[in-house]
């Protein structure tokens, strides 16, 4: 096979040497403390903030935080919001924090909220999909997880001892998926990669759970987000990232079977949001607003039920 990634030998899965070479090529590009922790600290006067762990790579630099609305009530619906499972997907992190800062107070009397805004802070700083072991946290939400990011999030959510009505997992699909992360994945696993077959959807879409689909819930999110940014169309084959489009802007994945973050609870309503920050028709601020609109659309739908 023709080489398509600078690390490894085409057709051969990476060993420890290749993984070490990859890790040595990764450098911090932004500050988790400046961009995330400081914003969490600013929310402490209005929310309960709990540190649920720290990454062993550097426990001082990468503490893990959950933010909860106050005065939880036994009969009130519980909603989990997660961001930054893939650290490079900026609006998942910043959208979750902006929702808490600007919008959540409108809902806190009707829902008990818990937000894990940045599950992968090392990934956030280095703007990467993987953790330092070349493991994708969003394929690792399972027992004996190979990702300490996923393991810590699962343990904290389980420790709450509540049933969630909904789980909203905030993500992005970026051009770097095509230029960096999918080639790296194929190289790591010794598989072929053809960039000509890789497409990036231009616009917002959601991923429903095929094992507990909620099409009306997804539609409510899509309709809310279309007020802020455009919805991704299907490609010429009726697909988005290789999956059949179930309705405008919605595809389905089996989240528990794939060990995705969206599968870590038994919530009746689950969605993964995907914005497109590299679109010429969108800005970073629009992407953050799209995440907020998605959360609002989901919560408004639940209130109407």
């Amino acid at each position: 096979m023709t080489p398509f990634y600078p690390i490894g030998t085409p057709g051969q899965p990476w060993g420890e040497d290749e993984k070490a070479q990859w890790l040595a090529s990764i450098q911090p590009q932004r500050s988790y403390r400046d961009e995330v922790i400081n914003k969490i600290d600013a929310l402490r006067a209005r929310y309960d903030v709990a540190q649920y762990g720290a990454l062993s790579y550097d426990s001082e630099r990468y503490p893990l935080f959950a933010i909860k609305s106050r005065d939880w009530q036994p009969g009130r619906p519980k909603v989990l919001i997660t961001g930054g499972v893939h650290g490079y997907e900026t609006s998942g992190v910043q959208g979750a924090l902006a929702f808490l800062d600007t919008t959540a107070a409108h809902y806190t009397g009707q829902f008990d909220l818990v937000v894990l805004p940045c599950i992968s802070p090392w990934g956030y700083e280095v703007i990467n999909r993987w953790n330092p072991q070349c493991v994708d946290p969003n394929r690792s939400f399972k027992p004996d997880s190979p990702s300490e990011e996923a393991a810590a999030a699962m343990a904290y959510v389980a420790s709450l001892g509540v049933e969630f009505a909904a789980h909203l997992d905030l993500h992005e699909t970026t051009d770097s998926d095509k230029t960096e992360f999918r080639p790296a994945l194929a190289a790591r696993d010794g598989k072929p990669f053809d960039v000509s077959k890789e497409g990036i959807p231009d616009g917002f879409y959601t991923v429903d759970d095929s094992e507990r689909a909620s099409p009306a819930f997804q539609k409510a999110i899509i309709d809310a987000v279309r007020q802020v940014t455009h919805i991704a169309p299907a490609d010429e084959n009726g697909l988005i990232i290789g999956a059949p489009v179930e309705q405008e802007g919605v595809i389905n994945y089996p989240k528990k079977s794939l060990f995705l973050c969206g599968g870590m609870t038994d919530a009746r309503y689950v969605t993964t949001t995907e914005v497109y920050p590299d679109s010429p028709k969108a800005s970073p601020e629009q992407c953050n607003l799209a995440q907020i609109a998605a959360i609002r659309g989901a919560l408004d739908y639940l209130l109407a039920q």
Side-chain angles (χ1 to χ4, degrees), residues 49-253:
V49 177
Q51 182 177 339
Y52 65 89
L55 298 183
S56 65
Y57 325 131
D58 188 331
S59 60
E60 292 294 322
R61 186 167 178 164
Y62 301 124
L64 301 166
F65 293 104
I67 305 163
K68 291 176 60 180
S69 56
R70 291 178 170 164
D71 303 316
W72 280 33
Q73 300 295 322
R76 194 180 287 159
K78 310 295 189 280
V79 175
L80 173 63
I81 300 170
T82 49
V85 175
H86 291 141
Y88 74 102
E89 297 175 7
T90 307
S91 72
V93 178
Q94 298 300 330
L97 293 170
F99 167 74
L100 289 168
D101 188 38
T102 65
T103 309
H106 178 70
Y107 296 99
T108 51
Q110 301 162 94
F111 298 97
D112 291 333
L113 304 173
V114 59
V115 180
L116 279 59
C118 191
I119 287 175
S120 297
W122 181 85
Y124 185 88
E125 284 205 331
V126 302
I127 313 182
N128 208 281
R129 185 181 185 92
W130 291 345
N131 71 13
Q133 285 79 42
C134 300
V135 170
D136 184 344
N138 205 33
R139 296 297 186 274
S140 304
F141 284 81
K142 57 184 176 181
D144 300 318
S145 175
S147 160
E148 61 183 85
E149 296 87 351
M154 287 189 294
Y156 173 74
V157 169
S159 76
L160 297 174
V162 299
E163 293 184 4
F164 286 96
H167 177 192
L168 316 175
D169 191 29
L170 311 182
H171 284 255
E172 293 182 346
T173 302
T174 70
D175 285 346
S176 57
D177 287 6
K178 178 176 181 177
T179 60
E180 170 61 27
F181 301 121
R182 294 177 190 170
L185 175 63
R188 184 198 69 182
D189 295 343
K191 295 181 178 179
F193 180 79
D194 184 351
V195 70
S196 68
K197 296 181 180 179
E198 296 290 325
I200 302 296
D202 185 352
F204 179 92
Y205 63 99
T206 70
V207 185
D208 197 357
D209 192 331
S210 56
E211 297 163 336
R212 46 181 163 167
S214 53
F217 179 65
Q218 309 300 323
K219 183 178 187 303
I221 294 169
I222 293 293
D223 288 343
V225 172
R226 76 169 78 251
Q227 307 303 316
V228 175
T229 192
H230 57 294
I231 306 304
D235 64 19
E236 64 274 13
N237 298 313
L239 308 174
I240 291 178
I241 61 168
V245 174
E246 304 295 332
Q247 59 173 305
E248 184 189 13
V250 180
I251 61 174
N252 288 5
Y253 275 9

Side-chain angles (χ1 to χ4, degrees), residues 252-267:
N252 288 5
Y253 275 9
K255 297 190 176 184
K256 287 184 180 291
S257 301
L258 293 175
F259 308 117
L260 303 177
C261 182
M264 79 161 140
T265 76
D266 293 323

